[in-house]
Amino acid sequence: MRLLLVEDDRNLNRQVAAALSDAGYAVDKAFDGEEAQFLGETEPYDAVILDLGLPGIDGVSVLTNWRRTGRKMPVLILTARDRWSDKVQGFDAGADDYVAKPFHMEELLARIRALLRRSAGHATSELVAGSVRLDTRSGRVSVDGAAVKLTSHEYRLLSYLMHHTGRIVSRAELTEHLYDQDFDRDSNTIEVFIGRLRKKLGVDLIQTVRGLGYLVDPALKP
């Protein structure tokens, strides 16, 4: 999953970005409203963490512009403004959730997991396909109850496919959602990661749809 973090406090931005990266997300960072608006309009983010008090263009205006142009990614507002009127303004602009500063990092991570889960149509934090289970809270993957050790990129790839079960996902889409903007992207590496995942999982989970991409079938039985 690829996230956009918009926070002008560079120290807080660094701390939150590190926590998100440790949790298995690819993270792009923005420090002002103009940069945030541009990235949100041009990059395919799975979710955005957006501060309201930004230099240049304020967060509510950025969010309003995103929604006006049809951008539908989930947005969590992160701000020191805790008045109910500010919250209402943020929700009316198109926000999906709200966290006031100061906050506990675990709460922020839990809310991001919930946003991603709901946007993909999943009811719980554990994703299941056949004998494969992926716990988004702990980052653990198991097959028939046995733990499977994955690299960060392998985990991101499996998580994205399992969040989107029943839908064919192209290599280009995977490349866009697995790496941050500074990563040297090469869609050919997706095939390498798919091969590694299949070997480590040892089950027929990820199907190749020739000429289109990859599919995890939601009808798989344990």
Side-chain angles (χ1 to χ4, degrees), residues 158-204:
L158 180 62
S159 177
Y160 192 84
L161 289 173
M162 290 187 68
H163 269 90
H164 297 87
T165 54
R167 180 169 71 83
I168 298 172
V169 181
S170 68
R171 283 195 303 170
E173 180 179 343
L174 286 170
T175 301
E176 289 179 334
H177 287 264
L178 294 186
Y179 307 123
D180 60 53
Q181 63 186 130
D182 296 326
F183 194 88
D184 184 15
R185 303 175 188 177
D186 180 0
S187 62
N188 291 326
T189 61
I190 296 298
E191 292 184 0
V192 175
F193 288 134
I194 290 289
R196 292 177 182 174
L197 270 175
R198 285 171 170 159
K199 184 176 181 179
K200 288 185 176 182
L201 295 175
V203 294
D204 187 19

Side-chain angles (χ1 to χ4, degrees), residues 5 7 9-17 78 101 103:
L5 170 61
E7 168 60 59
D9 182 323
R10 291 185 175 269
N11 186 49
L12 181 58
N13 193 310
R14 178 185 58 78
Q15 293 175 6
V16 174
L78 181 65
K101 303 173 186 176
F103 59 89

